[in-house]
């Protein structure tokens, strides 16, 4: 306990009179004692600080010694390392349903797995245990990104492929100038072709024109960019990949220009006129051109189950002439049509496809209706005999495409898809002069005539009007909840106020009764969308 000071000090501090000699001697003695005690406490405090620092170091070391990571199974640690080393080279056709920044899909050309400042190279230098895990886990070395214009990467590639062992590998090839391609690198890659699981060609396909037919027993995914070619270039069909008997997924993008390519050039040909592929067994196809050709069961991919069509407005061959007078039957289960440019010619690619084909097995439809030059939105027209039995419908609207006509067309689609269970609406649904369109849509959905089996309504990706929407949405949900139909509503966090979720008692009552109201950001979940 700290001893008190003499009462004399208080008396002296109330005036400016000096203390007597006796008082001064007493105060000096007390002051010396206090100073000595203060020095003693400083010494003790310094000792306690040193002890605390030592204890902190000891605790840190003990925590590191008993860390769960030390007892983690090697296969689990390897999976974590694999996530650290995951990279995303630019796909040939972007998944436009995701609003990710393009940079997230692009690897700088000087980087990638052959860069020793990235995983798994760096992970192998942390500790001997981690190095043992990295060296003994071929999956970490199974994704190879090769710039064929870098002959200095020959030794790195050899080391990388050696550590991959006999594991299946994903190959990503980049080259811009064929005159600078290293044949040593190319031959090293070709030597591993029996283990290719995926190949992504970000290079002129003519690079493989003189490569003989390869044995590709494990190849399941083929992604390619078709560049413009010289008018004088050989047009012989490339047969390098014709023996990929397990090929299931193909993605092709047609580029209109190629940096550094001399003129004159012609636009890239159709994929089937350029590369020989076993199209008869393809189940998933992504393209920005010639959509009807690949959908045709006669000329295209008869086994196709999932088709992603992302045409550009400047692509004259985005839709071909109707393949036959009568609509052809197609066995698609998933159809994704997304226009890169929101304005198209009046001959809409959406209308064209649904006029040319019938999809009796289609259960998942994703549309992005554009607007034509007359500012009219374009939606497919269904009838009782032509409508597919949809289970999931995702409609994404661009600026100005969600108007009264679109809303009526969407309701017509819903009228002929009674088995629909999930409805997703995203994009710019609140056009300044037509903010009541979404409200009217929800009022129509309140009727039991439209999609009576609807279970999930997802509007998290939609821009919504403010207060007018609340009553219409709430009435629709209450009507359907009363019929024990709808089970879940998905909103964005910023939509809580727009729908009055925190203010209106009926929302709380519905949630208490069992309605699931989930909040997530505006981006669709990645696992629900095709990965390219």
């Amino acid at each position: 306990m700290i001893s008190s000071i003499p009462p004399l000090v208080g008396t002296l501090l109330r005036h400016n009179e000096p203390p007597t000699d006796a008082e001064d001697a007493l105060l000096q003695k007390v002051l010396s004692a206090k100073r000595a005690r203060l020095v003693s406490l400083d010494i003790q405090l310094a000792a306690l600080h040193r002890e605390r620092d030592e204890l902190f170091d000891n605790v840190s070391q003990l925590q590191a010694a008993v860390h769960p990571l030390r007892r983690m199974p090697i296969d689990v640690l390897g999976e974590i390392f694999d996530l650290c080393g995951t990279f995303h080279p630019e796909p040939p056709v972007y998944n436009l349903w995701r609003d990710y920044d393009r940079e997230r899909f692009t690897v700088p050309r000087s980087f990638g797995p052959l860069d020793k400042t990235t995983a798994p190279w760096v992970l192998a230098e942390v500790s001997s245990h981690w190095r043992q895990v990295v060296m003994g886990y071929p999956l970490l070395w199974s994704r190879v990104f090769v710039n064929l214009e870098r002959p200095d990467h020959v030794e790195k590639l050899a080391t990388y492929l050696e550590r991959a062992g006999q594991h299946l590998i994903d190959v990503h090839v980049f080259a811009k100038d064929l005159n600078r391609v290293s044949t040593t690198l190319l031959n090293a890659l070709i030597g591993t072709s029996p283990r290719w699981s995926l190949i992504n060609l970000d290079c002129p396909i003519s690079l493989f024109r003189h490569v003989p037919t390869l044995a590709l027993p494990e190849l399941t995914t083929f992604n390619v960019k078709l560049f413009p070619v010289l008018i004088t270039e050989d047009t012989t069909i490339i047969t390098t990949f014709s023996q990929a008997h397990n090929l299931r997924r193909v993605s092709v993008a047609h580029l209109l220009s190629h940096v550094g390519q001399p003129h004159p050039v012609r636009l890239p040909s159709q994929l089937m006129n350029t590369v020989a592929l076993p199209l008869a067994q393809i189940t998933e196809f992504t393209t920005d051109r010639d959509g009807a050709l690949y959908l045709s069961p006669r000329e295209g991919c008869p086994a196709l189950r999932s088709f992603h069509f992302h045409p550009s407005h400047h692509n004259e061959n985005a839709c071909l002439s109707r393949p036959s007078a009568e609509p052809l039957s197609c066995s698609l289960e998933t159809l994704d049509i997304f226009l890169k440019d929101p304005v198209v010619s009046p001959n809409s690619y959406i209308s064209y496809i649904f006029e040319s084909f019938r999809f009796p097995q289609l259960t998942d439809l994703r549309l992005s209706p554009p607007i034509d030059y007359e500012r009219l939105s374009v939606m497919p027209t269904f009838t009782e005999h032509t409508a597919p039995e949809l289970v999931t419908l995702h409609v994404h609207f661009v600026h100005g495409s969600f108007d009264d006509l679109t809303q009526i067309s969407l309701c017509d689609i819903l009228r002929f898809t009674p088995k629909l269970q999930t409805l997703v609406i995203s994009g710019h649904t609140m056009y300044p002069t037509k903010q009541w369109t979404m409200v009217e849509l929800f009022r129509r959905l309140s009727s039991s005539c439209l999609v009576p089996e609807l279970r999930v309504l997802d509007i998290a990706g939609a821009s919504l009007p403010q207060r007018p929407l609340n009553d219409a949405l709430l009435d629709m949900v209450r009507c359907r909840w009363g019929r024990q139909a709808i089970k879940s509503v998905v909103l964005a966090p910023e939509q809580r106020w727009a729908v009055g979720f925190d203010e209106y008692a009926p929302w709380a009552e519905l949630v208490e009764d069992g309605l699931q109201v989930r909040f997530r950001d505006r981006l669709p979940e990645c696992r629900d969308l095709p990965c390219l």
Side-chain angles (χ1 to χ4, degrees), residues 94-112:
Y94 304 120
N95 185 347
L96 298 180
W97 291 97
R98 288 185 259 186
D99 296 332
Y100 290 137
D101 182 44
R102 175 173 176 171
E103 295 299 325
R104 290 197 56 178
F105 283 112
T106 305
V107 173
R109 300 309 182 188
S110 60
F111 293 90

Side-chain angles (χ1 to χ4, degrees), residues 55-96:
L55 287 174
F56 185 82
D57 292 339
N58 293 340
V59 169
S60 299
Q61 295 175 12
L62 289 170
Q63 287 178 338
V66 300
H67 197 281
L69 190 61
R70 292 178 172 270
R71 300 189 301 273
M72 186 172 296
I74 292 180
D75 57 338
V76 177
L77 189 59
E79 290 290 339
I80 296 175
F81 288 171
D82 183 45
L83 294 176
C84 294
T86 299
F87 67 105
H88 303 280
E90 179 182 317
V93 178
Y94 304 120
N95 185 347
L96 298 180

